[in-house]
Amino acid sequence: MALLITHKCINCDMCEPECPNQAISMGNDIYEIDSDRCTECVGHYDKPTCQSVCPIDNTIIINPQHTETNEQLWDKFVVLHHTL
């Protein structure tokens, strides 16, 4: 599952530099997460760092439009980072 930044985002700039996949960027009004690059930090950390550093509760949530298994997230990590 990729993550999604909701309208609660206050553009604090905490999440973007924490993303190891460079999946977070500034959108028109708030930060956005590229679901093609988001692995929920699988392959890097035990839990998504963007959620950990976000100062507003429940601002970064699971994106219901992009559900993926842990295996799919791992496969995406491997493709993004060319790791075997």
Side-chain angles (χ1 to χ4, degrees):
M1 298 163 264
L3 298 174
L4 170 73
I5 299 175
T6 69
H7 69 280
K8 291 180 177 182
C9 177
I10 60 171
N11 296 326
C12 68
D13 303 320
M14 294 294 292
C15 60
E16 182 184 24
E18 292 297 322
C19 181
N21 298 315
Q22 299 177 333
I24 301 174
S25 62
M26 183 54 126
N28 289 333
D29 298 315
I30 60 173
Y31 279 94
E32 297 176 347
I33 297 177
D34 180 349
S35 59
D36 291 333
R37 298 192 65 83
C38 179
T39 65
E40 293 186 40
C41 290
V42 167
H44 294 284
Y45 307 111
D46 291 334
K47 60 183 183 176
T49 58
C50 60
Q51 288 178 327
S52 298
V53 299
C54 183
I56 309 297
D57 289 339
N58 299 315
T59 297
I60 303 175
I61 61 171
I62 292 173
N63 186 341
Q65 301 292 321
H66 296 280
T67 58
E68 297 168 291
T69 66
N70 278 343
E71 183 176 312
Q72 289 170 312
L73 292 170
W74 176 258
D75 290 344
K76 191 189 304 185
F77 163 78
V78 170
V79 169
L80 287 171
H81 298 281
H82 307 288
T83 303
L84 297 175

